[in-house]
Amino acid sequence: IPELMKLQDSLGMIQDLYVQKIMIVSIEEQMLAAGLMQDDVYHALHVIKKTIKKRMIRQRKQVMKSIKRFLSSDVLAVALAGN
């Protein structure tokens, strides 16, 4: 079902963004702990984190749209008929 595939893709993207966020935070924490953080790197990491956050917000909206489409009567009827 195409709608289910779209939903899975959207959920996968959220998971990918979450992993990216964790990695950036980890890098930042390690650099701070090691005393290696430079101002330009700190600001670059901050920009990356903001960008990831914006993408996650957009992707969550996409997931909600995908869920609504998937649960619409036509799509749900087709999915249930397959069982």
Side-chain angles (χ1 to χ4, degrees), residues 6 11 17 19 25 55 62-63 66 75-76:
K6 289 178 186 177
L11 290 170
L17 291 168
V19 170
V25 169
R55 290 181 65 198
Q62 183 60 40
V63 165
S66 293
V75 174
L76 189 56

Side-chain angles (χ1 to χ4, degrees), residues 17 21 24 42-58:
L17 291 168
K21 178 184 170 186
I24 294 298
Y42 178 80
H43 292 296
L45 291 174
H46 181 69
V47 169
I48 292 170
K49 288 191 297 184
K50 282 178 63 174
T51 301
I52 291 171
K53 183 177 180 177
K54 288 178 185 177
R55 290 181 65 198
M56 287 179 83
I57 290 168
R58 281 195 309 265

Side-chain angles (χ1 to χ4, degrees), residues 61-79:
K61 289 178 183 177
Q62 183 60 40
V63 165
M64 294 309 295
K65 288 179 185 178
S66 293
I67 289 171
K68 287 178 183 177
R69 279 194 304 268
F70 181 72
L71 295 177
S72 70
S73 59
D74 293 341
V75 174
L76 189 56
V78 170

Side-chain angles (χ1 to χ4, degrees), residues 12-41:
M13 179 60 76
I14 286 179
Q15 183 177 8
D16 292 347
L17 291 168
Y18 182 74
V19 170
Q20 290 174 19
K21 178 184 170 186
I22 290 173
M23 292 302 299
I24 294 298
V25 169
S26 177
I27 290 168
E28 181 180 32
E29 289 172 352
Q30 291 175 27
M31 290 183 76
L32 286 169
L36 299 173
M37 184 62 72
Q38 297 175 357
D39 286 343
D40 57 341
V41 174

